[in-house]
Amino acid sequence: MQNLSQNLSHNIEKYILTLLEEEQQENFISLRRKELAEMFECVPSQINYVLRSRFTPEQGYLIESRRGEHGYIKIFRVTYGSPDELSEHVTNLIGGEISLYEAHRLLEVLQDRELITGRERLLIEIALRYIAPDEGQSARSRELSEMLKTMLGGLMTDDND
């Protein structure tokens, strides 16, 4: 049963991503939750699940939603005008503490959006594992946060100076 749900979530995600690709000039799409649920023959809560889990700010998306008969969902793809804006956004996402798992997810998203290379991701992940072998300790989470911000900041700065 879970595999069916995962396939359905994946199909809904693919459909939304396809719509976003088609609307590159607008940088957002507007959908109706009920129509999407009918199209995929699922309950509206399945649409909510996909939006909450696969279209998050960490993954580069913002959701605007209005419920009710004339409700809608707008999905915005976050874009950055400069490397400094991107670096600031990533720094804010990381915050003061981050777990190794959260760091891994963020690096995965940055690679998927082609903001870092696979090699850069691998090197950062190796360094983070070395620095923070004991997951869960607050001091280690702060160290992880600072190191990740420093490494990503160095990669994302505009070095045309």
Side-chain angles (χ1 to χ4, degrees):
M1 183 72 173
Q2 178 145 0
N3 198 19
L4 282 174
S5 177
Q6 287 175 345
N7 282 340
L8 177 60
S9 295
H10 179 72
N11 290 338
I12 294 168
E13 177 188 21
K14 274 178 47 178
Y15 176 76
I16 292 171
L17 289 172
T18 300
L19 292 177
L20 279 165
E21 284 299 315
E22 292 171 0
E23 289 296 328
Q24 283 184 343
Q25 288 183 331
E26 292 293 324
N27 231 11
F28 78 92
I29 56 170
S30 186
L31 305 167
R32 292 174 121 4
R33 187 182 338 264
K34 183 180 176 185
E35 290 172 8
L36 204 52
E38 288 172 0
M39 177 187 298
F40 285 95
E41 299 178 348
C42 65
V43 293
S45 62
Q46 182 71 36
I47 305 302
N48 293 339
Y49 168 76
V50 171
L51 295 174
R52 278 193 320 271
S53 63
R54 302 183 185 205
F55 293 91
T56 65
E58 294 83 4
Q59 294 164 319
Y61 300 96
L62 297 175
I63 305 289
E64 178 183 308
S65 180
R66 181 175 179 182
R67 294 185 182 260
E69 190 173 325
H70 300 289
Y72 61 86
I73 303 166
K74 283 187 181 176
I75 303 171
F76 297 86
R77 185 184 299 245
V78 178
T79 58
Y80 310 97
S82 71
D84 290 338
E85 286 179 9
L86 173 59
S87 183
E88 182 179 336
H89 177 74
V90 170
T91 297
N92 291 335
L93 285 174
I94 294 168
E97 293 186 18
I98 191 167
S99 70
L100 204 50
Y101 174 77
E102 292 166 332
H104 171 74
R105 295 256 313 143
L106 177 61
L107 292 168
E108 188 176 85
V109 168
L110 292 173
Q111 181 184 352
D112 288 347
R113 294 204 59 199
E114 298 178 357
L115 298 170
I116 62 172
T117 66
R119 184 181 180 124
E120 290 166 340
R121 174 184 167 192
L122 178 63
L123 290 171
I124 293 170
E125 286 179 343
I126 290 168
L128 294 179
R129 273 188 245 129
Y130 176 76
I131 291 297
D134 301 324
E135 183 71 25
Q137 294 178 345
S138 186
R140 295 270 186 204
S141 294
R142 285 191 298 275
E143 280 182 53
L144 260 177
S145 169
E146 289 307 311
M147 185 170 192
L148 186 57
K149 285 190 258 187
T150 301
M151 289 189 291
L152 289 174
L155 288 174
M156 295 178 182
T157 57
D158 189 9
D159 51 7
N160 294 330
D161 299 333

